[in-house]
Amino acid sequence: MAQNITVPDIGDFDSVEIIEVLVKMGDQINKDDPIVTLESDKSSVEVPSPVSGKVIELNIKVGDKVSKGSLLAKLDNDSHTIKNKNPIPKNNSLPEIKAKPTEEKGSANINTTKNIKTIFAQSPSKDDFDPVETQEWIESLNAVIENDGPSRASYLLNKVISKAYTAGLVLPDTRTTPYINTIPTELEIKSPGDQNIEKKIRAYIRWNAAAMVVRANKISSELGGHIGTFASAATLYDVGMNHFWRAKNKDFGGDLIYFQGHSAPGMYARAFLEGRLNEKQLNKFRQEVDAGGLSSYPHPWLMPKFWQFPTVSMGLGPIMAIYQARFLKYLINRGLVKDEGRKIWVFIGDGETDEPESLGAISLAAREKLDNLIFVINCNLQRLDGPVRGNGKIIQELEGSFRGAGWNVLKVIWGSYWDPLLKADKSGLLMKRMNECVDGEYQAMKAKGGAYVREKFFGKYPELKELVSSMTDNDIWKLNRGGHDPHKVYAAYHAAMQHRGSPTVVIAKTVKGYGMGKSGESMNTTHQQKKLDEQDLLYYRDRFNVPLTDEQVKNIEYYKPAEDSEEIKYLKERRKQLGGFIPERSSLAKPIKAPPKDIFESFMKSTGEKEMSTTMVLVRMMTSLLRDPNVAPRLVPIIPDEARTFGMEGFFRKIGIYAHEGQKYEPEDSEQLSSYKETKSGQVLEEGITEAGAMSSWIAAATAYTNHDIEMIPVYIFYSMFGFQRVGDFAWAAGDAQARGFLIGATAGRTTLAGEGLQHQDGHSHILASMIPNCISYDPTFSYEMAVIFREGLRRMHEKNENIFYYITAMNENYSHPEKPEGADEGILKGMYLFKEYKNKGKIKIQLMGSGTILREAIAAAKILSEEYGVDSDIWSVTSFNELRKDGMEVERKNLLYPNGEKRKSYVQNCLEKRDGPVIAVTDYVRSFSDQIRPYTEKPFYSLGTDGFGRSDTRKNLRKFFEVDKEHIVAYTLSALAKEQLIGAESAEKAIKKYNIDKNKAFPTKL
Ligand SMILES: Cc1ncc(C[n+]2csc(CCOP(=O)(O)OP(=O)(O)O)c2C)c(N)n1
Ligand SMILES: [Mg+2]
C-alpha cells in the first residue's frame, strides 16, 4: 500500500530548505531512517520515515523549500522491515571482559538502617516534663522492634511522622543523626584480614611516606611535601587496598580510585613495598626534571603509567568523580561496556568540602542513583591554617548535606576502644557529651593528651568522670577515632559496597598528623610540617614499632622487609586477589578509524548564496558523522542547556537525550520533529546549567580510553565565554589527564555575539586555551576550514591516539562560504594559508591577516584598499595564531641553540619571506592573540583587536567601537604605511575623515 511521507511539525519554522536528500527511488528503508535534511536559518534536522517500505515516488530535491505537510515521498510499505545496509553498531569493539575477581565475602545485603536494637530518644526541647511517658514511648518502639521487626517499626514511625506533619507539628530537624557511628557495633562485618600483619604493613608505609618527605627536604627545603595528611588517612587507604579495590586486568575493568592529592606520599610508600617503585625513585620525590622522579601530587601527565586522576586542585576530584560514575552508567546503558559492578572511590579532605565544586554536584549523584560511587571524606577536623569548623562539627554538617541530597551516609566517628564506654552509657549522657563538644575542642584534645581529655571531655559531668575512673590517662589517650580503626573502616566499606540505589559517603573522623606527637599531631601547624628532627623521627618510629635502629632512623632509612617476609607476601597476595596493583594507568582501547574524506566533501564546496554560521556548519558536520558507522556510536555531544542556542535540537529526537530512567512523561512537544526525547540509551548528555558538570562529563568521556578501555569522541559545546575562563582549572586538569576530544567555544568573538553584552562577549578564550600545552586551538572562518580541522582532530586524537585536545571556536554570524582554495589543507592545519592575493597595481603591498568572522572584514578592507587607494594585499586566513606561535617559539629556540648552524625557518617566516609590506593582523580577540606571531614575521607588525569590555549593540557598531571593521582596517593600514614611509600621510588622514573616525575617542579598554 502506498503511503505519503510528509513534513511533520517542525516547530516555529515555515518554508525551510531541503539541504540533503538521503534516499533514492527504489530504496528499501526502515522506519526512522532519515529521508531528507531540512535546514532553517539556525538549525538543521533530519526527517525520519514514519514507516518502512520502498521509495516509489520522490517529490522533492535539494534546494526546495518545504513546510509542515509538504509531500516528500511515497513509500510502498507492504514490504516489512529490512536489515539495515549500513548499520551503526551499538558497540563495535566492546573490550572483552571476563569474570570479575573475587568478590568480597561476608553477609550480603547488610542494610545499616535495619536491625537497630536501641532507639535513642532525643527530646527536641530540653523540657522533658514527663520522663515516664517518654520512656513508655521508647519501650513501645523497642517492643515493636523486638516482636515485629525493624521494618514494621519503621513503618509505624513513618505513619506517626506523616500524621504529625498533617497535624501541623514542628518536628525535630532530622538532617543529622547522633554523633556516633552509623553502623551499630553488633552489625559490623568483621574484616577477614590478619590484623597483626596489616598493622605492620601500615606502619612501614607510614614510615616510608614520612621518610621520603623528610629526605627530600634535606636535599632542599624548596621541595616541600606533606606528612600530616597521609598520616591521618593511612588506615582509610590501607583497608581499601587490602580488601576492596579491584584492579584493572584482562578480566575486569577495575575500580577507579581518586586519591586525595597531597596524600600521594602514602601511595608511593605502598608502591615501594609492592616493589613497583625503588628506593632511588623515592629519593627523587618532587625532583622530576631529570627522568625518574616522583610527582608531588597525582599527575598522569608526569607519571602516565601510574596516576589516573589529577585531584590536587581541591574540589575538582569530587565533581569529576561524580560525572565519572555517571559516565560509566551512560556507557553501560548505551551497551558500550558491560556492567561489572565497578566502583568509583573518591578521597576528599574535610577542608576540601569548602570548595563549591566538591558538594555542588552531590544532588546529581543521588538523582542519577549512582550506587557505583563511594566518597570517603577524611575528617581530621583541620585544613591548612586551622580547624575546618572549630565552632561546629564538620561531620554533622556534611551528614546533613549528603542526607539531604539523598546519599547513603555512613559515619565512622569512634574506634573500637569506645565501644565498651558507649555500651555502658545507659543514660545517653556520653552521647550527649559527644554531641555537644565542638571540633575545636576535639582537635585540642588530641593535641594535649589523656589527662586533658579526662578533665575537659569526661570531666564536665560527674557520671562521665566516673565512667572512666578506672582508666589511666594513657588508656584515655588510646580511645581512638573511627578512621584509625581498621575494623570500623572495614565495616563501613563493606556496607558501602553492598549498598544499592544511591551513592554512599563514608565520613570518617581522624587525627591530622596521627602519630607525629609534638612535631605535629592535631596541631594547627600540622599541614605544613615537612621536616622532622631526630627526636621526632625516633618518636614516630616508636609509636608505630618500625624495626629500625636509632642509627637507621638518624639516617632516615626506608624500611622494607625481605621479599619472603610474611608482610610482603601478605601485601602482594592481597593485591593478587584483587586483580593487580592500584593505581596503574593503561589503555586497551582500539582506535577509531577517521571517517572517509567524502563525509566532509560537501563542506569543501562553496555554499553559493546560502548563508550560514560556522556553528551550523559544525552541527551539520556532526549530523553527517552520525552516519559514519565507526564514529557514530562513539560521539558524545555534551551541551549545558544551550542546544537550541546552537541549533542542535535536532539531536534530541535523532539520538536521544541520556536519561537513566528513560522518559516517564509524554513531552509537551511530542508531535514535533525535534521533540525532547529522553531515553535510557540516549547519546546526548544534556547537562543542564552547569559548566563544571559538563566539563567533568567531557573529561570522563575524553579519558574513557584509559579508564574504560573504549575510545570516545566527546564534543562539548558551550558559550565560549563560559568556557576556559569559567572552567579553566578543569581544562588544565584535562590536559594533565591527557583528555582527547573537542571543546567547541560557540557564539565566539567579542563583536560577533552582538547583543549579549559584557559578560557574554568573548575576546580572549583563545589566549586562555593557548596556555594549555596539549590544547590545539583554531579560530576558523569558513566551512571548509572547520571541516579540515575537525577531520584532522578525529584522525590525530582518535585514530592516531595523540594525547591532545582541540578547542575550536564557532560563530553565530551567517554568511556565505567560498570553496576551499586548492592546496589549502596544510596551511589550515598549520595555522595560516594564503586566501587571496590582490595584484592590481602592484606598487604597495601589505600582508593582511585575519581570523574568525573578522577575516571577512579584512577581505572587505582589502578590496577597498585595492580599488580606492592602490594598495594591494596578500590576504591570509590565520586559522590558529596559537599554533603558529608554538612553531615559531620552537624554531627560534633551535636557532639559538645552534648559533653556527643553518638557520631554520618558522612556518610564518616561510609564508612571508618572499612577500612584501608590513603585516596588519586583525581578529575578534584581544591584540595579544595575533601579537603572538609578531617576532616570526620579521616585518613591521600592526595588530587590531578587541581589547576592552564588550557591550551590547549591533555587530556593525561593535566592530566600529573596537576598531576592527573594514573602515578602521583601511584607515589604520594607510596610517601604518605612512609610518613605514611607504606612502604619504594624506591618504590615511583622508580615510580617517571619510569614515568619521573620532580621534578623540578613548582607547576601548578605558571605556
Ligand atoms: C583549589 C585549591 N586551593 C588551595 C589548595 C592548597 N591546599 C592544599 S592542601 C590544603 C588544605 C587541605 O585541607 P583538607 O582538605 O582538610 O585536607 P587534609 O590535609 O586535612 O586531609 C590547601 C588549602 C589546593 N591544593 N587547591
Ligand atoms: Mg582536613
Side-chain angles (χ1 to χ4, degrees):
M1 200 181 80
Q3 167 134 6
N4 288 349
I5 311 294
T6 55
V7 175
D9 187 346
I10 43 178
D12 288 341
F13 306 106
D14 200 27
S15 187
V16 289
E17 190 179 336
I18 292 180
I19 59 163
E20 282 175 307
V21 178
L22 301 161
V23 294
K24 296 188 303 298
M25 281 289 286
D27 278 0
Q28 280 284 0
I29 59 171
N30 278 333
K31 181 170 183 286
D32 288 335
D33 279 355
I35 297 179
V36 295
T37 308
L38 304 179
E39 190 166 79
S40 69
D41 59 348
K42 218 177 114 278
S43 71
S44 56
V45 58
E46 289 173 353
V47 178
S49 172
V51 291
S52 324
K54 183 174 174 181
V55 181
I56 52 170
E57 205 176 300
L58 256 185
N59 307 73
I60 34 77
K61 59 182 183 319
V62 169
D64 285 357
K65 297 265 168 83
V66 291
S67 301
K68 182 181 172 186
S70 304
L71 183 64
L72 294 172
K74 275 190 185 156
L75 291 194
D76 176 359
N77 75 338
D78 279 347
S79 43
H80 42 262
T81 308
I82 42 117
K83 245 186 162 217
N84 199 340
K85 283 168 286 170
N86 191 14
I88 304 287
K90 270 242 167 258
N91 169 17
N92 58 349
S93 65
L94 186 65
E96 264 221 10
I97 303 164
K98 295 197 195 106
K100 51 188 138 172
T102 13
E103 276 271 359
E104 278 296 319
K105 292 203 180 68
S107 97
N109 251 342
I110 168 180
N111 183 334
T112 51
T113 55
K114 284 184 190 164
N115 300 329
I116 296 170
K117 292 266 158 46
T118 327
I119 298 295
F120 298 100
Q122 251 210 315
S123 175
S125 80
K126 292 204 173 72
D127 325 314
D128 189 354
F129 56 82
D130 191 349
V132 176
E133 185 189 39
T134 311
Q135 196 51 36
E136 279 169 9
W137 275 73
I138 293 170
E139 276 162 17
S140 306
L141 183 61
N142 280 339
V144 177
I145 297 170
E146 288 295 323
N147 301 328
D148 304 327
S151 123
R152 173 68 186 158
S154 299
Y155 177 84
L156 284 178
L157 277 178
N158 276 328
K159 272 274 173 214
V160 172
I161 289 168
S162 311
K163 185 73 204 149
Y165 274 121
T166 49
L169 295 192
V170 178
L171 293 183
D173 179 356
T174 53
R175 278 177 315 149
T176 56
T177 61
Y179 197 59
I180 53 168
N181 296 350
T182 308
I183 304 177
T185 320
E186 320 80 88
L187 294 182
E188 283 166 7
I189 299 293
K190 296 281 173 263
S191 167
D194 181 324
Q195 291 309 316
N196 269 334
I197 301 185
E198 289 190 18
K199 194 173 170 185
K200 285 188 197 165
I201 294 171
R202 200 156 46 244
Y204 308 155
I205 294 177
R206 284 178 185 285
W207 172 265
N208 291 332
M212 183 185 72
V213 175
V214 176
R215 284 181 87 103
N217 282 279
K218 286 248 182 244
I219 295 169
S220 164
S221 60
E222 285 173 32
L223 296 176
H226 302 91
I227 300 171
T229 296
F230 178 70
S232 73
T235 308
L236 298 174
Y237 285 112
D238 241 39
V239 173
M241 287 287 197
N242 285 333
H243 299 286
F244 292 96
W245 303 337
R246 298 156 300 174
K248 168 161 130 181
N249 56 36
K250 63 180 178 20
D251 299 328
F252 182 68
D255 294 324
L256 301 175
I257 322 294
Y258 287 69
F259 294 100
Q260 193 187 358
H262 46 289
S263 64
M267 307 314 128
Y268 296 140
R270 172 171 260 273
F272 171 62
L273 291 191
E274 291 169 343
R276 306 165 65 204
L277 295 177
N278 57 35
E279 196 165 326
K280 211 166 136 203
Q281 286 169 297
L282 293 199
N283 283 339
K284 293 198 73 185
F285 175 55
R286 294 189 169 218
Q287 298 144 78
E288 302 180 86
V289 163
D290 296 324
L294 300 182
S295 63
S296 50
Y297 302 116
H299 292 304
W301 182 263
L302 299 168
M303 294 178 68
K305 296 205 164 118
F306 193 84
W307 293 118
Q308 297 172 283
F309 305 108
T311 48
V312 77
S313 179
M314 310 213 137
L316 302 195
I319 190 169
M320 288 195 292
I322 288 175
Y323 282 86
Q324 176 71 263
R326 185 332 193 76
F327 190 70
L328 177 53
K329 295 240 176 193
Y330 167 95
L331 289 174
I332 293 167
N333 283 329
R334 284 194 54 211
L336 291 165
V337 302
K338 284 186 188 162
D339 187 356
E340 304 175 284
R342 295 166 64 201
K343 301 273 184 194
I344 286 117
W345 290 73
V346 192
F347 280 77
I348 316 166
D350 47 358
E352 184 173 5
T353 62
D354 292 340
E355 292 282 5
E357 290 88 348
S358 297
L359 302 188
I362 60 171
S363 52
L364 169 114
R367 194 160 67 239
E368 301 265 335
K369 299 193 170 43
L370 300 180
D371 50 13
N372 56 350
L373 179 66
I374 300 168
F375 270 27
V376 180
I377 308 186
N378 176 17
C379 291
N380 53 26
L381 313 187
Q382 290 177 242
R383 46 191 174 207
L384 194 153
D385 282 342
V388 178
R389 296 287 185 276
N391 292 321
K393 278 202 280 297
I394 185 64
I395 291 180
Q396 298 300 87
E397 186 181 318
L398 290 171
E399 178 186 36
S401 303
F402 280 91
R403 266 167 69 96
W407 285 52
N408 173 40
V409 178
L410 299 172
K411 292 195 290 190
V412 183
I413 303 179
W414 308 110
S416 306
Y417 291 118
W418 286 91
D419 287 345
L421 293 180
L422 279 162
K423 203 165 178 187
D425 177 38
K426 299 284 180 240
S427 65
L429 194 59
L430 176 58
M431 202 169 64
K432 175 175 153 61
R433 181 70 187 120
M434 287 169 164
N435 276 333
E436 71 191 13
C437 217
V438 294
D439 282 355
E441 294 171 290
Y442 280 122
Q443 185 196 336
M445 285 179 217
K446 279 296 173 194
K448 297 195 174 174
Y452 184 87
V453 179
R454 184 192 299 279
E455 187 199 323
K456 291 281 176 186
F457 184 77
F458 295 104
K460 180 156 181 203
Y461 300 110
E463 296 93 319
L464 291 186
K465 204 164 185 180
E466 178 54 30
L467 191 67
V468 294
S469 59
S470 62
M471 294 169 74
T472 63
D473 285 351
N474 201 31
D475 290 339
I476 290 181
W477 177 241
K478 275 194 182 148
L479 289 169
N480 56 346
R481 290 191 178 163
H484 296 301
D485 184 330
H487 304 286
K488 303 286 180 191
V489 174
Y490 183 92
Y493 285 6
H494 188 275
M497 287 289 286
Q498 306 297 320
H499 182 76
R500 298 289 176 269
S502 58
T504 292
V505 57
V506 175
I507 308 181
K509 183 165 169 164
T510 64
V511 179
K512 191 144 180 169
Y514 185 67
M516 289 171 72
K518 65 174 176 36
S519 67
E521 186 153 351
S522 207
M523 286 153 64
N524 277 341
T525 51
T526 302
H527 190 83
Q528 279 161 314
Q529 186 60 278
K530 55 194 177 215
K531 290 178 191 166
L532 300 182
D533 65 22
E534 245 170 62
Q535 286 314 310
D536 297 336
L537 285 166
L538 288 166
Y539 175 87
Y540 203 60
R541 175 203 60 182
D542 294 344
R543 177 86 177 255
F544 296 110
N545 291 320
V546 183
L548 287 172
T549 64
D550 287 5
E551 195 53 32
Q552 288 172 312
V553 169
K554 282 173 199 157
N555 293 334
I556 326 172
E557 288 182 23
Y558 299 114
Y559 182 73
K560 185 176 177 188
E563 279 300 301
D564 60 356
S565 64
E566 59 173 9
E567 296 95 309
I568 296 293
K569 281 201 305 214
Y570 182 92
L571 169 129
K572 287 194 169 169
E573 179 57 23
R574 287 313 306 145
R575 287 315 314 163
K576 202 172 147 203
Q577 288 298 321
L578 290 159
F581 294 122
I582 281 179
E584 194 167 80
R585 187 176 181 279
S586 63
S587 174
L588 304 169
K590 295 201 185 86
I592 300 171
K593 196 162 169 29
K597 283 209 159 118
D598 57 351
I599 282 212
F600 296 89
E601 222 34 66
S602 63
F603 302 97
M604 308 300 176
K605 301 200 177 90
S606 164
T607 60
E609 296 282 281
K610 188 168 169 55
E611 298 194 335
M612 65 169 90
S613 68
T614 44
T615 305
M616 282 174 73
V617 169
L618 182 95
V619 173
R620 253 204 206 187
M621 212 151 59
M622 287 175 71
T623 310
S624 304
L625 287 171
L626 285 169
R627 294 181 204 135
D628 181 85
N630 294 320
V631 170
R634 307 303 180 83
L635 216 52
V636 185
I638 303 171
I639 320 159
D641 201 32
E642 295 286 357
R644 292 178 203 282
T645 313
F646 308 137
M648 294 179 74
E649 61 271 39
F651 285 24
F652 292 166
R653 181 119 163 214
K654 185 174 166 51
I655 50 175
I657 297 163
Y658 173 71
H660 71 105
E661 293 178 315
Q663 193 156 37
K664 297 176 176 171
Y665 61 97
E666 184 179 329
E668 164 277 316
D669 56 0
S670 60
E671 297 299 308
Q672 286 180 17
L673 193 50
S674 304
S675 90
Y676 201 83
K677 183 176 143 202
E678 300 194 64
T679 146
K680 195 166 174 175
S681 60
Q683 196 164 349
V684 175
L685 286 174
E686 164 63 89
E687 301 294 8
I689 311 162
T690 163
E691 281 76 17
M695 192 66 186
S696 299
S697 273
W698 182 81
I699 291 171
T703 53
Y705 70 92
T706 158
N707 297 319
H708 308 295
D709 287 326
I710 181 165
E711 186 84 29
M712 300 298 287
I713 309 172
V715 185
Y716 168 29
I717 306 182
F718 49 89
Y719 266 108
S720 71
M721 193 62 158
F722 304 138
F724 284 84
Q725 79 170 14
R726 180 74 181 232
V727 292
D729 210 14
F730 287 94
W732 188 254
D736 188 353
Q738 293 150 71
R740 302 173 188 156
F742 294 94
L743 294 174
I744 307 293
T747 57
R750 184 93 80 207
T751 67
T752 304
L753 179 64
E756 293 289 308
L758 186 149
Q759 192 81 47
H760 281 68
Q761 292 163 347
D762 163 35
H764 49 274
S765 64
H766 275 289
I767 297 287
L768 303 177
S770 77
M771 299 300 155
I772 300 177
N774 48 353
C775 174
I776 314 282
S777 45
Y778 289 98
D779 185 31
T781 309
F782 296 124
S783 160
Y784 60 82
E785 295 177 354
M786 183 68 102
V788 168
I789 291 163
F790 203 90
R791 181 169 192 276
E792 179 69 355
L794 288 173
R795 195 190 65 80
R796 285 183 68 182
M797 293 187 287
H798 303 297
E799 184 177 313
K800 295 295 167 203
N801 295 158
E802 277 189 60
N803 287 326
I804 49 177
F805 65 94
Y806 274 56
Y807 176 57
I808 308 174
T809 37
M811 272 71 69
N812 65 335
E813 184 174 355
N814 290 335
Y815 45 83
S816 57
H817 298 251
E819 185 170 342
K820 184 179 77 171
E822 196 65 35
D825 295 55
E826 190 195 343
I828 292 173
L829 297 174
K830 285 194 162 163
M832 69 189 275
Y833 67 94
L834 190 63
F835 174 74
K836 186 173 178 170
E837 273 178 89
Y838 270 98
K839 286 186 185 159
N840 283 349
K841 312 216 170 80
K843 272 201 206 113
I844 300 153
K845 195 83 188 265
I846 57 162
Q847 302 303 313
L848 193 52
M849 297 182 182
S851 76
T853 56
I854 298 299
L855 172 64
R856 298 177 63 253
E857 296 288 339
I859 294 168
K863 188 162 187 287
I864 300 171
L865 283 165
S866 172
E867 289 173 1
E868 296 181 27
Y869 298 94
V871 175
D872 279 354
S873 39
D874 295 333
I875 306 173
W876 298 89
S877 172
V878 182
T879 48
S880 181
F881 284 102
N882 289 345
E883 285 301 291
L884 295 177
R885 160 85 170 163
K886 284 186 205 166
D887 169 73
M889 286 192 294
E890 214 176 324
V891 170
E892 184 173 81
R893 169 177 173 269
K894 267 271 152 62
N895 287 339
L896 291 172
L897 284 172
Y898 295 96
N900 283 323
E902 195 189 323
K903 290 278 162 275
R904 291 156 200 257
K905 286 177 193 154
S906 68
Y907 180 70
V908 172
Q909 201 186 346
N910 269 329
C911 289
L912 296 181
E913 67 179 349
K914 296 212 174 78
R915 296 181 179 269
D916 297 327
V919 176
I920 314 289
V922 48
T923 73
D924 214 4
Y925 292 83
V926 292
R927 286 170 176 77
S928 50
F929 181 41
S930 55
D931 277 347
Q932 292 184 96
I933 66 163
R934 184 189 290 264
Y936 317 116
T937 58
E938 304 195 334
K939 293 187 186 309
F941 188 101
Y942 298 85
S943 52
L944 304 180
T946 55
D947 299 73
F949 282 119
R951 58 211 60 209
S952 38
D953 211 310
T954 60
R955 282 188 188 118
K956 190 168 170 36
N957 284 344
L958 285 170
R959 286 175 187 168
K960 182 169 183 202
F961 173 81
F962 282 108
E963 308 178 356
V964 292
D965 57 358
K966 59 182 186 295
E967 290 85 3
H968 278 87
I969 299 173
V970 169
Y972 280 125
T973 299
L974 294 171
S975 209
L977 288 170
K979 181 165 175 264
E980 299 302 327
Q981 300 189 337
L982 294 167
I983 60 173
E986 331 73 62
S987 318
E989 287 291 1
K990 223 170 85 189
I992 288 169
K993 206 159 169 198
K994 177 173 174 189
Y995 300 131
N996 291 322
I997 292 173
D998 178 5
K999 292 186 179 185
N1000 294 320
K1001 186 186 122 193
F1003 191 64
T1005 53
K1006 297 181 175 158
L1007 291 168

